[in-house]
Amino acid sequence: MATDPTNKESLRQEIVAMRQSLIDEGTLDGRFEEIEDDNKQNRPRFVQQTMTEYFEEAARMLSRIDDLLAKRPKEYAQIDIALKELRTSSSKVGAKKVRNAINAVRDGIRHEDIKEAKEAFEQVKVIVINLISKMSPYFVLLQREAGLKK
């Protein structure tokens, strides 16, 4: 059975438009596009696997940071180290909005303003959840495209 080339092209355009929207709104950056380029080099599901690993790692780090923020007395240096790890991980996958939000938490930590840090950290958690919800339909499109290539 032949695959309809217009359907493939329409799907490709939808994927490109969705990715561009995520970049335009500042959710993702050029690093994500580099990961996608790796995906095109005969590595099916690479983007989804990479992002899924990031989401799992981010969940662990968010939990750790939550614990550190709740701990008394505050270990500001440890919190900052954990935030740097999360920021680095976010940078590696192009999660620009997460990375930028982490900087606000670090500002609170640098000033030893735990209230500011906690408020900013709540925003980081929301941004990660939003990223996951935005990437899910994107993964579905990538899987559909992979299915059409068979």
Side-chain angles (χ1 to χ4, degrees):
M1 180 170 123
T3 304
D4 180 1
T6 58
N7 189 22
K8 284 171 73 172
E9 184 57 32
S10 172
L11 183 57
R12 170 76 345 227
Q13 289 173 355
E14 192 175 349
I15 290 168
V16 169
M18 186 179 280
R19 179 186 61 233
Q20 192 59 49
S21 173
L22 292 167
I23 291 169
D24 289 347
E25 69 187 27
T27 299
L28 298 174
D29 64 18
R31 178 64 187 122
F32 180 78
E33 290 178 297
E34 291 173 21
I35 293 169
E36 270 215 323
D37 287 343
D38 288 343
N39 187 57
K40 292 175 188 168
Q41 314 247 334
N42 294 324
R43 296 176 74 185
R45 298 181 43 117
F46 181 73
V47 171
Q48 185 173 358
Q49 290 169 341
T50 300
M51 294 304 290
T52 299
E53 288 171 11
Y54 164 71
F55 295 142
E56 290 168 357
E57 185 178 350
R60 282 190 300 276
M61 287 189 242
L62 291 170
S63 177
R64 180 168 175 244
I65 295 165
D66 249 340
D67 291 346
L68 288 168
L69 288 170
K71 193 174 183 181
R72 293 180 190 261
K74 301 296 180 229
E75 296 178 8
Y76 292 102
Q78 290 300 315
I79 297 168
D80 194 49
I81 289 168
L83 289 166
K84 285 179 190 175
E85 289 173 8
L86 180 57
R87 188 183 64 191
T88 299
S89 180
S90 299
S91 292
K92 287 180 181 177
V93 298
K96 180 181 178 180
K97 196 174 269 190
V98 176
R99 184 185 68 229
N100 291 344
I102 290 167
N103 290 335
V105 182
R106 291 189 70 217
D107 286 344
I109 295 302
R110 272 193 290 277
H111 297 112
E112 296 189 4
D113 183 342
I114 201 64
K115 183 177 185 243
E116 176 188 341
K118 283 182 175 182
E119 288 172 1
F121 184 65
E122 289 304 314
Q123 281 299 324
V124 170
K125 291 192 285 188
V126 168
I127 292 167
V128 170
I129 290 167
N130 287 340
L131 178 59
I132 293 168
S133 70
K134 289 177 180 183
M135 293 304 297
S136 294
Y138 188 75
F139 296 153
V140 169
L141 293 177
L142 291 177
Q143 288 173 347
R144 282 181 42 208
E145 181 184 46
L148 289 177
K149 289 181 180 178
K150 292 181 179 179

